[in-house]
Amino acid sequence: METIHIYHTNDVHSHLENWPRIKKFLAEQQERHHQKEEDVFLFDIGDFIDRWHPFTEATRGKGNIDLLNESHFTAVTIGNNEGVNLPFEDLNELYENAQFDVLLANFFQQNGSHPSWVKPYKIYHSKKGTRVGVIGLTAPFAHLYGLLGWKVTEPIEELKKWIEKVKAESDVIILLSHLGLNVDESIAAEFPDIDVILGSHTHHYLEKGKLVGRTLLGAAGKYGYFVGEVTLNLNEQKIITAKEAILYDSKELPALNHEQELSDAYFNKGKALLNQKVTTLANPLTSDIFHETEFSLLLCRALREWCNTDCAMINAGLLLGGVSGEVTVYDLLEICPHPINPCVVELTGKELEEIYWQSKDEGLVHKHIKGLGFRGTLLGVFVFDRIIHHKEVIFINGTEVDYEKIYTLALPDMFTFGHFFKDILPQKEKKYFLPEFLRDILKWELQK
């Protein structure tokens, strides 16, 4: 009999407050299994980095890669926070010092070849000679990857191309999937030769895994709240006789001495690296989720100017605080941590007027938002540049709106993902501006 242990993390999103304890736990588990001559694999299933954290922002994610190296991870796949939230060169260099494999079958350079730091799959060998085939897939934000200079393909089609080859070379097949639970369940049903799918992206957690047919699904939630373990038992013919999944709650793992100081050190190191002066303000700029301010108007105007549009719209909740005196790069990250890009849509005057009046809905103003790149809490009031109303009439740049005319509107990309203004925006063609985040636009405006 042979026992193989697989530990996995996913969607940590640079929540490094839990990492010191996870690091210690993984080290102890690896040592325990090695003493029993049992094989151990460590996998991260993407979105390990998130640029809201100053350590990640300052090192462009390379500091996070050092953490994975220190814990001796076997391999990772990437999520959208690595893939579409880093400029081309930063992603291309992210893993240059990685001491683990980056497995990603549906990710390519524009010429159709895998970059040097990517393998579509890899076969690992256990101490007893069992061949463990591991393949990685990531969510196909094809348009956004294309704007950054990469090419990402439809994951199921890519899996079809590789699965027979991996099967021929493997006794055990593991999929690292940054695709979401529903897709993982579909893959398990369609590809029963896959023994284990380690999932992510939708931040789901499976306390004891989930069997779909003969395939075991595992997932460990988000933010390092859990660490997952899958245990495989194999007989002498290298056939799996039992498999189980469990989760370890990070809060219940043994605490470290000076644990808070360790996680604070990551934060403070990043803060120090970002202590670069942007400008000095003569007067403070304040933020208010429920009222338009000079600061929110400044950001909205900057967005319009950057995108060169007729008008612009933002929500006040994007600004999580104000700035005064000397403003640093860190200050801008602190008040605008969102990985949100500028976007432009073309609208008729009639559609633009409809969006304007919908934005006045109090329910929308007080709406709690999670995801979509938003790192705040409430949406807040909507702020406009070059759009006003007077006696129920809308004016665009001082002229009464023409219902038949086409106008260009600059807005944060979060409003184009199908959750807002559903009868108008989802159907529109969007022009995304990458890799700039809103805080980059804010920096540009303040430096002017």
Side-chain angles (χ1 to χ4, degrees):
M1 295 289 290
E2 178 182 9
T3 302
I4 295 175
H5 299 271
I6 302 159
Y7 292 87
H8 57 102
T9 55
N10 61 270
D11 296 290
V12 172
H13 284 279
S14 292
H15 277 267
L16 303 180
E17 62 271 19
N18 295 314
W19 195 252
R21 173 176 306 210
I22 290 172
K23 178 183 175 182
K24 179 186 178 188
F25 169 73
L26 291 175
E28 290 173 346
Q29 294 300 94
Q30 288 177 87
E31 178 61 27
R32 183 168 67 86
H33 298 312
H34 287 155
Q35 287 181 358
K36 296 168 70 174
E37 296 192 350
E38 296 173 338
D39 286 276
V40 185
F41 296 93
L42 267 63
F43 299 117
D44 183 78
I45 324 298
D47 280 359
F48 186 69
I49 76 169
D50 193 314
R51 289 176 56 190
W52 73 268
H53 196 293
F55 181 68
T56 303
E57 177 75 337
T59 65
R60 280 300 194 262
K62 287 187 176 181
N64 296 62
I65 303 311
D66 292 339
L67 302 183
L68 293 172
N69 284 339
E70 290 169 5
S71 289
H72 307 291
F73 270 68
T74 309
V76 306
T77 197
I78 74 167
N80 43 290
N81 271 267
E82 288 90 3
V84 298
N85 286 343
L86 287 171
F88 180 92
E89 287 303 324
D90 288 330
L91 177 56
N92 204 33
E93 297 171 0
L94 178 63
Y95 297 101
E96 61 184 4
N97 295 320
Q99 296 162 18
F100 49 82
D101 298 305
V102 181
L103 305 179
L104 196 49
N106 65 322
F107 180 84
F108 303 88
Q109 299 177 104
Q110 292 283 25
N111 65 9
S113 63
H114 292 290
S116 59
W117 45 274
V118 163
K119 300 180 180 73
Y121 74 96
K122 183 167 179 178
I123 309 300
Y124 299 93
H125 293 83
S126 75
K127 294 181 180 69
K128 294 189 175 181
T130 298
R131 302 168 301 167
V132 180
V134 186
I135 187 168
L137 294 169
T138 196
F141 295 104
H143 181 61
L144 299 180
Y145 275 105
L147 291 174
L148 288 165
W150 301 108
K151 178 182 178 184
V152 65
T153 56
E154 205 288 316
I156 308 303
E157 293 305 309
E158 208 63 50
L159 186 57
K160 290 176 182 176
K161 295 177 187 176
W162 290 103
I163 190 67
E164 290 304 320
K165 182 174 176 57
V166 175
K167 180 182 174 183
E169 299 176 21
S170 307
D171 302 303
V172 175
I173 300 177
I174 299 170
L175 172 64
L176 312 182
S177 165
H178 197 87
L179 301 174
L181 178 57
N182 290 341
V183 181
D184 291 349
E185 291 172 339
S186 298
I187 290 174
E190 187 175 351
F191 300 90
D193 290 319
I194 298 175
D195 297 291
V196 177
I197 298 176
L198 301 178
S200 62
H201 189 48
T202 44
H203 296 184
H204 57 287
Y205 65 94
L206 302 171
E207 195 169 350
K208 293 186 177 180
K210 180 177 182 178
L211 270 175
V212 177
R214 59 179 295 276
T215 303
L216 179 63
L217 275 55
K222 64 177 182 178
Y223 300 169
Y225 292 158
F226 301 99
V227 177
E229 181 188 8
V230 170
T231 304
L232 304 178
N233 293 321
L234 297 91
N235 62 22
E236 290 181 358
Q237 289 74 44
K238 306 189 187 310
I239 295 170
I240 295 174
T241 56
K243 49 188 168 185
E244 65 176 9
I246 57 172
L247 290 180
Y248 298 92
D249 189 328
S250 294
K251 295 193 300 294
E252 297 174 3
L253 297 178
L256 284 75
N257 293 328
H258 312 300
E259 181 173 83
Q260 187 64 47
E261 289 91 330
L262 290 170
S263 61
D264 287 348
Y266 299 132
F267 195 94
N268 292 330
K269 180 178 181 180
K271 183 177 179 179
L273 290 170
L274 295 174
N275 188 32
Q276 304 156 27
K277 180 181 173 181
V278 173
T279 191
T280 301
L281 297 173
N283 299 303
L285 291 169
T286 59
S287 67
D288 186 332
I289 289 181
F290 300 116
H291 298 91
E292 181 183 279
T293 66
E294 180 187 355
F295 199 11
S296 57
L297 282 169
L298 181 145
L299 176 56
C300 194
R301 182 178 71 245
L303 181 62
R304 178 188 57 77
E305 291 175 352
W306 180 274
C307 297
N308 191 27
T309 54
D310 297 315
C311 48
M313 172 183 83
I314 68 166
N315 59 299
L318 287 167
L319 292 169
L320 307 187
V323 286
S324 61
E326 184 172 299
V327 181
T328 67
V329 174
Y330 170 76
D331 293 329
L332 298 186
L333 174 66
E334 187 177 38
I335 64 168
C336 197
H338 331 280
I340 290 176
N341 306 102
C343 182
V344 173
V345 293
E346 292 186 349
L347 301 167
T348 65
K350 179 68 174 173
E351 291 168 331
L352 194 52
E353 180 182 78
E354 178 63 26
I355 283 178
Y356 182 85
W357 292 122
Q358 284 187 31
S359 75
K360 302 300 181 184
D361 179 0
E362 279 296 312
L364 204 55
V365 170
H366 290 85
K367 188 176 180 66
H368 283 262
I369 302 296
K370 289 187 177 180
L372 308 177
F374 188 63
R375 302 294 185 255
T377 51
L378 298 181
L379 205 55
V381 298
F382 282 81
V383 177
F384 295 87
D385 185 52
R386 291 192 175 174
I387 307 178
I388 61 170
H389 78 274
H390 179 66
K391 295 183 179 179
E392 303 303 306
V393 178
I394 302 295
F395 292 84
I396 311 296
N397 197 21
T399 303
E400 185 174 342
V401 65
D402 180 344
Y403 280 179
E404 304 302 320
K405 183 178 176 180
I406 300 297
Y407 296 92
T408 51
L409 173 70
L411 71 169
D413 66 7
M414 62 184 280
F415 294 117
T416 69
F417 297 148
H419 296 261
F420 309 92
F421 311 108
K422 295 180 181 179
D423 51 342
I424 300 174
L425 287 182
Q427 293 78 32
K428 295 295 179 181
E429 187 173 335
K430 292 95 178 172
K431 180 182 179 183
Y432 297 102
F433 288 71
L434 278 76
E436 298 83 13
F437 290 158
L438 292 182
R439 61 177 171 270
D440 298 315
I441 312 304
L442 189 55
K443 178 183 176 183
W444 170 76
E445 182 71 12
L446 289 172
Q447 286 180 326
K448 284 200 302 179

